[in-house]
Amino acid sequence: MLAVVLLIVVILIALGVHSCQVSANESALKDYTNHVSSLITQSNTTGKQLFGVLSSTSGQSSATAVQTQVNAALGQARSELNAAENFSPPDAVRNANQNFILTLRGRFDGIQNIANNIQPALGNTASQTAITAIAAEMARFYFSDVLYKDYTATAIAGALHGAGIAVGGPNGVSIAGGQFVPNVQWLLPNYIASQLHITVRRSGKVAPGSHGHTLNSVAVGSNTMVAGVTNHTPANPPATFTLGFTNAGSNTETDVICKVTVSGTSVSGQTTVPTTTPGQASTCNVPLDASPSTGNHTVTATIEAVPGETNTANNTQTFTVDFQ
């Protein structure tokens, strides 16, 4: 009889230990998931900061300030990577944790390489090599998003389900998502150049003959801008300016840049016309990247000089615009 009692006691103790171990494992998985969610949210915020800096620069005049702000994002990314490397993950999510570290490593490396190339990209002569290098880091960022969403988060969810822990919903454990790259267009060098408000010209010998364009007209919708008077246009939504111009040279031109700037603000717009033909008229639509404050502003519209263009007197028109 005593032996039976002792056996029952041993079984109850074993069951209690097992129950405690299960509870501890569940708690460790939940804690780990919360740590990952917190850290990936911080990393996504660092991404918003980085892309905010890159899309608000006005070119070489702000190169030093942009470098400083990119370096600040780099410091944050370094702290986030260090935190991930110091995690002690439960056995069920060790592979997921390695992918999570790679996610943050990719983001840190990407920002570091952008920091190394941002000054050449914004220099007196914009470097095509630097812009291409930055585009490569954007691909690294995009891969970090795939690595986190398709591998890290999926593996963590699988481990939670395997432990009988609900995922999502009002009573489940939340796994943070988010996106580091705000727009896949950031993978394109031309888009990066437009966001940095720089012009990257193709290298090579300039064709013989004359080169250049004449800006003929500027309009917002049906409202053609007139110099010397106050023009009126709504401030919201951001206006799109239509520039009419003519290829006044004897050569076909490629990658012709149309720009619009609003004085006293960081508001501007830029677009590229792939090809223009000698003697032929072209148009380009240039949407402003934000709404300026209401009131009068000087708006400058420009067809940027192409290689070999010597006379730029007809490339620019300036207007007073009352944004209402």
Side-chain angles (χ1 to χ4, degrees):
M1 183 65 181
L2 179 60
V4 174
V5 172
L6 290 174
L7 180 59
I8 293 173
V9 170
V10 170
I11 293 173
L12 290 175
I13 291 173
L15 289 173
V17 170
H18 177 72
S19 177
C20 289
Q21 288 175 339
V22 169
S23 179
N25 288 338
E26 290 180 355
S27 179
L29 278 173
K30 291 178 180 179
D31 288 345
Y32 173 77
T33 304
N34 290 333
H35 289 323
V36 168
S37 292
S38 176
L39 200 52
I40 199 67
T41 299
Q42 292 177 42
S43 179
N44 291 337
T45 300
T46 298
K48 290 179 182 178
Q49 175 185 334
L50 173 68
F51 284 97
V53 170
L54 296 179
S55 60
S56 64
T57 178
S58 59
Q60 69 180 59
S61 62
S62 61
T64 301
V66 172
Q67 180 76 69
T68 299
Q69 293 176 80
V70 171
N71 288 343
L74 178 62
Q76 294 174 4
R78 181 184 290 109
S79 296
E80 291 151 7
L81 175 60
N82 290 342
E85 290 176 333
N86 288 324
F87 280 172
S88 296
D91 289 341
V93 288
R94 287 195 180 276
N95 289 337
N97 191 62
Q98 289 301 314
N99 285 329
F100 185 55
I101 291 173
L102 286 175
T103 295
L104 297 187
R105 165 63 66 182
R107 294 179 179 186
F108 169 75
D109 289 346
I111 299 174
Q112 186 173 53
N113 291 332
I114 288 175
N116 293 337
N117 284 283
I118 195 65
Q119 291 277 13
L122 296 173
N124 290 329
T125 302
S127 168
Q128 178 68 62
T129 300
I131 293 296
T132 302
I134 290 174
E137 300 313 315
M138 297 299 173
R140 191 192 301 268
F141 293 150
Y142 187 79
F143 177 69
S144 79
D145 284 331
V146 173
L147 187 59
Y148 175 73
K149 292 180 179 180
D150 288 0
Y151 296 92
T152 304
T154 300
I156 292 173
L160 291 169
H161 284 305
I165 302 171
V167 178
N171 301 315
V173 177
S174 296
I175 302 175
Q179 183 88 9
F180 196 85
V181 180
N183 187 326
V184 293
Q185 290 191 79
W186 277 101
L187 278 68
L188 304 175
N190 285 345
Y191 184 80
I192 294 170
S194 71
Q195 292 300 299
L196 294 176
H197 297 94
I198 59 176
T199 301
V200 180
R201 292 294 181 193
R202 295 176 180 173
S203 59
K205 186 176 180 180
V206 176
S210 59
H211 297 264
H213 297 90
T214 297
L215 177 58
N216 302 316
S217 64
V218 179
V220 176
S222 60
N223 182 21
T224 300
M225 302 288 105
V226 178
V229 302
T230 299
N231 301 270
H232 303 276
T233 194
N236 287 293
T240 294
F241 286 80
T242 300
L243 280 58
F245 62 100
T246 302
N247 182 328
S250 58
N251 286 273
T252 297
E253 306 293 353
T254 60
D255 297 333
V256 180
I257 307 296
C258 306
K259 293 182 70 173
V260 175
T261 59
V262 181
S263 66
T265 74
S266 61
V267 176
S268 63
Q270 178 175 307
T271 193
T272 302
V273 177
T275 305
T276 65
T277 303
Q280 298 298 309
S282 300
T283 60
C284 54
N285 293 319
V286 184
L288 296 181
D289 55 14
S291 295
S293 59
T294 57
N296 286 1
H297 294 278
T298 299
V299 172
T300 302
T302 302
I303 308 298
E304 288 204 345
V306 295
E309 186 171 1
T310 57
N311 178 15
T312 59
N314 297 322
N315 291 47
T316 298
Q317 293 185 18
T318 301
F319 309 94
T320 299
V321 178
D322 178 18
F323 289 91
Q324 302 173 328

